[in-house]
Amino acid sequence: MRATSAVVRSVQHDLFGVIGRPAGHSLSPAMMQAAFDILGFRACYLALETDDLAEALAVLDTLGFQGLSVTAPFKQDVMKRCVQVDAAAQRIGAVNTLRRTPTGWEGRNTDWLGAVRALERFHPLRGVTALVFGAGGAARAVVYGLMQAGAHVVITNRTEDRAQELAAALECSWVPLESFERVRPQVVVQATSAGMSGRPYEFHVPPDFFLPHMVVMDIVYAPLETPFLRQAKAGGARVVDGLEMLLYQGIEQFFWWLNRPAPEAAMREALRRAARHHKGKA
């Protein structure tokens, strides 16, 4: 395991981090460190990369890490290594947050909360029809969150079996990818990795699909304005980029770790600044 962020500043600091493979690209260290610093916490948040999750968790426990964000590819595997997992994470099938306890790591999922809070800034979700592209791990969290908020969710996905499986598991609806235009949603979420760093889309959205009454979110944040969001904006829809979901899931993590409200404005500013810097290096 290696820390891909700054060296730990002092043994007197509480330790937190994001664990994944890769992890060096993560924007979470900038966001979380800004939160610790502005509130005066003696804490350090690192990007931690490993090929062996079990070994890494044991080492981090020994070193006294208090909390961890978990990213790909460990969100499912880490569940088996928790002494306790919250009900939402069990239903979603993934953990993205760990908190150290005297008996081991406790896990929960804040991705679904991040999606809900990002969308509800623009439109109440209770009673709306929401169309979700995707049936992977991220889509599961988004669908669960939308349903918890009272939305009527319809899933569409290139692989129909996965769409059917997710719809059955979370008790919502699905449509074949070639038929999604029949849905008349108020909320649309692109919850696949399509569009990330130029990856191609496996679906085509007609130019007249997006309408001014819609709120459209893409969970991808590199680039910030994906082709999906660009097309939605051209149709007059209100758009939400992937940094908003990342921000709000991080705010929930911060509160769970420290039982204190997170400094939202400072975290958003640090996150957007880090995203611009990351883009400049690309």
Side-chain angles (χ1 to χ4, degrees):
M1 184 186 70
R2 64 182 183 274
T4 56
S5 186
V7 176
V8 178
R9 289 183 247 171
S10 166
V11 292
Q12 300 301 316
H13 284 67
D14 287 333
L15 299 176
F16 298 83
V18 55
I19 187 167
R21 189 183 67 241
H25 70 289
S26 175
L27 301 182
S28 292
M31 172 177 66
M32 291 300 197
Q33 195 62 56
F36 292 140
D37 291 348
I38 199 167
L39 293 179
F41 286 116
R42 293 179 60 81
C44 192
Y45 186 103
L46 304 175
L48 307 161
E49 194 164 308
T50 185
D51 293 316
D52 189 328
L53 178 63
E55 179 184 43
L57 291 179
V59 169
L60 296 174
D61 180 42
T62 300
L63 290 174
F65 272 71
Q66 299 300 305
L68 295 169
S69 308
V70 183
T71 188
F74 299 128
K75 289 186 180 183
Q76 287 77 41
D77 189 32
V78 77
M79 291 185 68
K80 303 191 293 283
R81 308 183 188 282
C82 294
V83 295
Q84 183 176 334
V85 173
D86 77 334
Q90 290 176 2
R91 191 80 191 276
I92 294 166
V95 159
N96 78 316
T97 314
L98 297 177
R99 182 170 65 183
R100 184 167 169 262
T101 75
T103 57
W105 294 103
E106 183 180 358
R108 72 176 303 199
N109 190 297
T110 68
D111 282 334
W112 71 275
L113 290 163
V116 167
R117 290 191 62 185
L119 288 165
E120 284 188 330
R121 290 184 66 228
F122 296 88
H123 197 293
L125 296 178
R126 181 160 300 279
V128 306
T129 297
L131 175 65
V132 176
F133 288 84
R140 290 184 71 96
V142 170
V143 171
Y144 176 85
L146 286 166
M147 295 187 66
Q148 289 295 113
H152 305 293
V153 181
V154 181
I155 302 164
T156 190
N157 190 59
R158 180 177 61 90
T159 306
E160 290 190 6
D161 288 350
R162 296 191 69 186
Q164 289 178 298
E165 179 185 345
L166 178 54
L170 295 183
E171 300 178 339
C172 62
S173 303
W174 75 280
V175 293
L177 192 58
E178 62 270 17
S179 304
F180 76 82
E181 296 170 60
R182 298 202 311 255
V183 183
R184 295 290 181 262
Q186 292 82 48
V187 172
V188 181
V189 181
Q190 201 294 113
T192 78
S193 60
M196 183 183 295
S197 302
R199 290 183 190 174
Y201 288 84
E202 295 170 333
F203 53 86
H204 169 71
V205 180
D208 60 351
F209 176 74
F210 293 113
L211 298 170
H213 71 271
M214 291 180 179
V215 173
V216 180
M217 182 168 77
D218 196 326
I219 68 167
V220 170
Y221 56 81
L224 272 182
E225 186 176 72
T226 62
F228 191 83
L229 291 186
R230 198 155 49 242
Q231 187 175 345
K233 188 183 293 184
R238 288 169 290 175
V239 300
V240 186
D241 64 48
L243 285 186
E244 290 299 299
M245 178 173 167
L246 180 63
L247 168 68
Y248 285 111
Q249 65 81 32
I251 286 172
E252 294 293 337
Q253 290 179 329
F254 187 95
F255 182 78
W256 192 51
W257 289 332
L258 299 172
N259 195 31
R260 178 165 178 173
E264 180 177 327
M267 291 171 74
R268 176 179 281 109
E269 180 183 354
L271 193 56
R272 301 246 163 221
R273 185 169 57 246
R276 289 192 297 270
H277 179 69
H278 182 78
K279 180 181 178 181
K281 292 169 62 179

